Amino acid sequence: MINHLSGGKVTLALFVIIILLVTAFSVTVVIYTAEIKSLKAELKQEQLQVILYKDSLAQANTAIDKQNKEIEKVKIDNDKARDILKQELDNITRDKDRLIKQAVQSLSQDNSCENRLRIINNTQMEFLNGK
């Protein structure tokens, strides 16, 4: 086919093809350049969001650390309160046991008093009856 064309037409055709290729390449470069700029802008936006996320995460971690310290403090306070209440319960139990023991002793003493009174009364009755 090239042989059938004259030298000027082949040169012109090659020149037109080169121009079309250069134009296509230029358009492609312009499109890719615009796409790269768009992607760079998106990347910057994403980087800003990451920075904000890191900052928020750091603040949240700080707040969580403060809450954990408060929880630990409350646990320590609860442990102390539990120990105090346990001690008081032990004291109350000891006092209760002591009072029960005293009451039992008092009742046994009262019974012996009653028995003595009965014996005295019986003795008086026997004496009065002349036995």
Side-chain angles (χ1 to χ4, degrees):
M1 183 169 143
I2 294 178
N3 291 336
H4 297 305
L5 297 174
S6 67
K9 288 185 180 179
V10 171
T11 305
L12 181 63
L14 286 175
F15 183 72
V16 169
I17 290 173
I18 290 172
I19 289 177
L20 289 175
L21 287 174
V22 168
T23 303
F25 179 74
S26 297
V27 169
T28 303
V29 167
V30 168
I31 290 171
Y32 282 146
T33 302
E35 184 67 23
I36 288 171
K37 285 180 182 178
S38 173
L39 289 174
K40 281 183 179 179
E42 286 179 32
L43 180 62
K44 283 182 182 179
Q45 188 65 26
E46 291 294 323
Q47 287 172 337
L48 287 174
Q49 287 178 349
V50 166
I51 290 170
L52 290 174
Y53 174 75
K54 283 182 178 178
D55 195 35
S56 297
L57 188 60
Q59 289 175 358
N61 283 337
T62 301
I64 288 170
D65 288 343
K66 285 181 182 178
Q67 287 179 345
N68 285 340
K69 286 178 184 174
E70 274 298 313
I71 289 170
E72 197 60 38
K73 183 181 174 187
V74 168
K75 282 181 182 178
I76 291 169
D77 290 346
N78 285 347
D79 289 345
K80 287 178 182 177
R82 186 186 69 239
D83 290 344
I84 290 169
L85 290 175
K86 186 177 180 224
Q87 183 66 39
E88 287 184 24
L89 180 62
D90 289 345
N91 291 342
I92 290 169
T93 302
R94 233 179 291 118
D95 288 346
K96 178 193 77 160
D97 291 343
R98 183 180 50 79
L99 289 174
I100 288 173
K101 187 176 179 181
Q102 285 177 352
V104 166
Q105 287 175 351
S106 177
L107 285 175
S108 68
Q109 287 174 357
D110 286 348
N111 283 340
S112 66
C113 287
E114 276 182 20
N115 287 336
R116 286 185 201 154
L117 284 175
R118 244 184 254 131
I119 291 170
I120 292 171
N121 283 339
N122 288 339
T123 305
Q124 285 177 351
M125 292 301 275
E126 286 175 11
F127 179 74
L128 289 176
N129 287 334
K131 289 188 179 180

